[in-house]
């Protein structure tokens, strides 16, 4: 018989996790004002809140931690990290930062001005924040197909070349660069094809513009290119990554994702002028150039993490687990954003809790129900996260209302995936009895989802 699939690693160290009772969870949820960000981690059994900084480092990474050189200037750990980044991306200049948004802050401080227009594919929320806080515009040029959650296409994260061309034709004087997010997180961890990166490059060249890759999940993107795009099956992940970056001018990176470290980030570029410009902001915001926002030991661990996570087996194990969870949801008929992306499943709450009015936040209600059911913590990516319209102050109900279940890298086993799926099925089976959701009692003006206080109406 054919041998089943199994993980490309074995486990050397374990961390106990604790179950709780429904009564305990009801009490904790109430104390947290029905906001899952307000729970303590001990109150969570399986944590699917985010895949950011939650991955498990390998024995090689922990060994590298011991080799960290904490010299203020000229740390050998910086040069190890820089060499690894040079090899994987082809970018010569590297600036370490404490996380991805810090890389954005440093690079955008040099490049984005009031009135700038930055076109791209569904800018990540901090990316958008760093553009808009500079009185500039983040122009979303994602393909329309990304909005249809049930449509199965291989590269649903792509930039629409027609929208991009139009954006450049109209605004080219004010465009400092184009930004392509790989994978496209906001559209559900959906990949961008090499072909699409080539099209973006051609349009950028036509208008004399540069391209930045927001690269938090570049390795997962490379995996999808290898497994889905014609002509890449026989290429290694490292060859594909190098080709992706060859089509860009620079990158911002949240190393908390595909770097498999708990904290870290960087900027890399092939252009000396960008490096010189960004340098000026690294020193006051992040720190001296050979550590930025990072410890020597963390730079060592990141260098190893980048090397390991651009190996096929590691990525195959990860994506296999996400697909395994998606397969269980298929079996139970639970609708989610299709095809499943690289790091998370986005359950279409509007299609599950059809009796809960939009005004009572179906995705948040589903997240609460799932937690109460089994102590599984997901995250609402929906109407609460969408904040209010800055002018009318009305809730924004125009987008999708999703429950995101992130899968941490190398942390849980497939048995945990079974628990998540079964808990969700139990909620799904009684979906028609769930007719009421939650009401906002207190909210912040911006980014309200982190601190919002809610009242349960059921
Ligand atoms: C996480 C992330 C960021 C921001 O990085 P942090 O490390 O959280 O500051 C930017 N872009 C994308 C696509 C991300 O996933």
């Amino acid at each position: 018989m054919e041998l089943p699939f199994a993980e490309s690693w074995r486990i050397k160290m374990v961390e106990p996790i604790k179950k709780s009772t429904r009564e305990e969870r009801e009490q904790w949820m109430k104390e947290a004002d029905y906001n899952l960000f307000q729970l303590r981690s001990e109150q969570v059994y399986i944590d699917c809140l985010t895949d950011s900084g939650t991955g498990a480092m390998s024995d090689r990474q922990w060994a590298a931690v011991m080799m960290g050189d904490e010299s203020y200037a000229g740390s050998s750990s910086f040069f190890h990290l820089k060499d690894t980044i040079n090899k994987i991306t082809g970018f010569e200049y590297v600036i370490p930062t404490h996380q991805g948004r810090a890389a954005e802050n440093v690079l955008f401080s040099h490049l984005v001005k009031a009135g700038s227009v930055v076109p791209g594919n569904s800018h990540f929320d901090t990316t958008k924040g760093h553009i808009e806080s500079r009185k500039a515009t983040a122009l979303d040029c994602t393909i329309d197909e990304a909005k249809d959650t049930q449509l199965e296409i291989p590269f649903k994260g792509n930039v629409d070349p027609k929208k991009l061309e139009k954006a450049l034709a109209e605004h080219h004087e004010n465009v400092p660069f184009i930004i392509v997010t790989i994978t496209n997180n906001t559209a559900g961890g959906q990949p961008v094809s090499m072909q699409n990166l080539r099209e973006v490059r051609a349009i950028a060249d036509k208008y004399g513009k540069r391209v930045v890759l927001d690269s938090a999940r570049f390795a997962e993107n490379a995996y999808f290119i290898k497994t889905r795009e014609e002509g890449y099956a026989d290429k290694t992940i490292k060859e594909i990554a190098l080709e992706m970056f060859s089509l860009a001018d620079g990158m911002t990176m949240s190393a908390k994702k595909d770097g498999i470290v708990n904290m870290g980030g960087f900027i890399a570029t092939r252009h000396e002028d960008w490096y010189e410009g960004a340098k000026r902001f690294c020193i006051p915001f992040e720190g001296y150039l050979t550590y930025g926002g990072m410890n020597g030991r963390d730079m060592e661990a990141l260098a190893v993490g980048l090397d390991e996570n651009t190996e096929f087996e590691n990525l195959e194990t990860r994506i296999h687990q996400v697909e395994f969870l998606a397969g269980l949801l298929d079996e139970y008929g639970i609708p989610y954003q299709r095809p499943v992306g690289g790091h998370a499943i986005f359950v279409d709450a509007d299609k599950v809790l059809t009796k809960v009015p939009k005004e009572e936040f179906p995705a948040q209600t589903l997240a609460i129900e799932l937690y109460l059911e089994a102590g599984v913590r997901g995250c609402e990516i929906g109407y609460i996260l969408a904040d209010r319209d800055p002018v009318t102050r009305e809730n924004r109900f125009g987008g999708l209302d999703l429950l995101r279940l992130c899968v941490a890298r190398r942390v849980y086993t497939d048995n945990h995936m079974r628990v998540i799926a079964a808990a969700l099925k139990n909620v799904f089976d009684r979906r028609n009895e769930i007719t009421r959701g939650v009401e906002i009692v207190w909210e912040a003006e911006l980014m309200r989802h982190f601190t919002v206080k809610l009242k349960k109406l059921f």
Side-chain angles (χ1 to χ4, degrees):
M1 93 190 247
E2 198 188 331
L3 296 181
F5 182 85
E7 291 76 11
S8 66
W9 33 258
R10 58 184 179 180
I11 297 165
K12 185 149 21 191
M13 189 186 285
V14 295
E15 177 185 3
I17 49 175
K18 257 180 125 160
K19 286 194 199 174
S20 51
T21 64
R22 184 162 180 120
E23 290 69 45
E24 285 174 322
R25 292 192 292 275
E26 281 185 355
Q27 181 61 26
W28 293 334
M29 195 70 277
K30 200 165 144 204
E31 285 165 10
D33 296 302
Y34 298 94
N35 178 341
L36 293 122
F37 283 98
Q38 300 298 321
L39 289 171
R40 287 166 174 253
S41 62
E42 313 91 88
Q43 297 167 341
V44 175
Y45 175 40
I46 302 174
D47 206 346
C48 300
L49 187 69
T50 173
D51 68 320
S52 180
T54 54
M57 295 210 294
S58 67
D59 53 350
R60 285 177 62 217
Q61 284 180 286
W62 281 109
V65 164
M66 295 306 295
M67 302 301 287
D69 173 1
E70 306 303 339
S71 302
Y72 191 96
S75 162
S76 58
S77 302
F78 168 73
F79 291 101
H80 289 158
L81 176 60
K82 180 174 180 284
D83 287 347
T84 305
I85 294 169
N86 294 157
K87 273 196 206 104
I88 289 173
T89 67
F91 295 141
E92 183 182 344
Y93 301 99
V94 174
I95 298 177
T97 60
H98 78 274
Q99 58 183 95
R101 66 199 67 186
E104 291 164 356
N105 188 33
V106 168
L107 185 64
F108 296 2
S109 290
H110 171 51
L111 296 175
V112 180
K113 307 276 173 301
S116 292
V117 177
V118 184
N121 56 339
S122 327
H123 309 64
F124 186 72
D125 53 9
T126 61
T127 316
K128 197 167 173 184
H130 278 300
I131 293 169
E132 290 178 350
S133 66
R134 290 176 169 83
K135 299 192 165 39
T137 308
L139 202 63
D140 187 4
C141 301
T142 309
I143 53 170
D144 288 333
E145 289 89 328
K147 289 204 191 83
D148 179 351
T149 65
Q150 298 309 297
L151 185 72
E152 295 253 6
I153 53 169
F155 292 100
K156 224 171 168 176
N158 278 355
V159 177
D160 183 332
K162 285 199 206 73
K163 288 188 196 170
L164 181 63
E165 172 95 47
K166 183 163 174 281
L168 282 163
E170 280 171 21
H171 303 287
H172 61 93
E173 281 150 21
N174 295 318
V175 172
F177 55 88
I178 298 160
I179 190 158
V180 185
T181 309
I182 53 172
T183 57
N184 183 332
N185 179 51
T186 313
Q190 300 293 336
V192 174
S193 69
M194 194 74 83
Q195 179 55 30
N196 192 240
L197 290 176
R198 266 184 230 115
E199 287 163 351
V200 170
R201 178 79 266 166
I203 295 168
D205 286 344
K206 180 171 159 192
Y207 290 90
K209 297 296 169 188
R210 289 181 182 175
V211 178
V212 171
L213 296 184
D214 179 356
S215 308
R217 300 179 185 82
F218 78 93
E220 290 166 8
N221 200 85
Y223 174 89
F224 286 120
I225 288 176
K226 181 175 169 75
T227 54
R228 293 181 183 173
E229 191 163 350
E230 216 190 303
Y232 288 92
D234 296 330
K235 292 212 154 75
T236 65
I237 297 293
K238 285 192 167 68
E239 286 167 345
I240 294 169
L242 203 54
E243 186 174 338
M244 285 171 4
F245 290 115
S246 78
L247 296 164
D249 297 280
M251 68 192 285
T252 51
M253 176 77 187
S254 168
K256 303 172 72 168
K257 305 354 181 309
D258 273 351
I260 326 193
V261 290
N262 305 115
M263 192 54 71
F266 59 86
I267 298 164
T269 175
R270 64 179 83 262
H271 298 293
E272 193 180 357
D273 61 314
W274 272 11
Y275 174 67
E276 291 297 329
K279 247 166 80 172
R280 294 179 299 137
F281 296 97
C282 179
I283 295 176
F285 289 153
E286 292 293 297
Y288 183 64
L289 299 169
T290 57
Y291 70 88
M294 295 183 78
N295 296 307
R297 53 182 172 272
D298 291 346
M299 290 190 283
E300 290 285 354
L302 174 54
V304 176
L306 287 170
D307 179 47
E308 279 180 0
N309 204 27
T310 44
E311 288 299 320
F312 179 73
E313 288 72 19
N314 202 65
L315 289 160
E316 187 187 32
T317 297
R318 165 167 186 62
I319 305 289
H320 187 274
Q321 185 166 57
V322 179
E323 287 173 350
F324 174 72
L325 177 56
L328 293 174
L329 299 200
D330 284 339
E331 213 175 284
Y332 306 149
I334 302 170
Y336 60 87
Q337 161 92 290
R338 309 186 75 90
V340 66
H343 68 289
I345 292 194
F346 292 68
V347 180
D348 199 340
D350 249 355
K351 290 200 171 67
V352 176
L353 297 185
T354 51
K355 304 229 159 116
V356 176
K358 277 183 166 38
E359 293 72 21
E360 296 179 12
F361 305 106
Q364 180 66 19
T365 305
L366 188 59
I368 294 166
E369 286 284 354
L370 180 64
Y371 174 73
L372 294 177
E373 179 69 28
V376 174
R377 174 160 68 171
C379 180
E380 191 249 30
I381 303 281
Y383 303 143
I384 295 183
L385 182 96
D387 277 332
R388 289 178 187 271
D389 183 287
V391 180
T392 66
R393 301 306 300 158
E394 292 296 322
N395 281 309
R396 290 193 269 209
F397 293 120
L400 296 170
D401 197 36
L402 306 169
L403 165 63
R404 185 182 73 181
L405 297 169
C406 278
V407 181
R409 294 171 183 78
R410 308 192 290 208
V411 170
Y412 293 112
T413 68
D414 287 358
N415 283 328
H416 294 112
M417 300 301 118
R418 284 186 226 276
V419 173
I420 298 165
L424 201 54
K425 179 182 188 305
N426 290 346
V427 176
F428 186 67
D429 286 349
R430 54 183 168 77
R431 63 190 178 281
N432 290 327
E433 293 153 37
I434 305 170
T435 55
R436 300 300 305 269
V438 290
E439 176 184 275
I440 295 179
V441 184
W442 182 87
E443 63 186 287
E445 200 166 318
L446 264 184
M447 311 263 266
R448 62 180 179 180
H449 58 290
F450 290 120
T451 51
V452 69
K453 292 185 180 175
L454 300 164
K455 196 171 93 186
K456 196 170 156 212
L457 301 170
F458 50 96

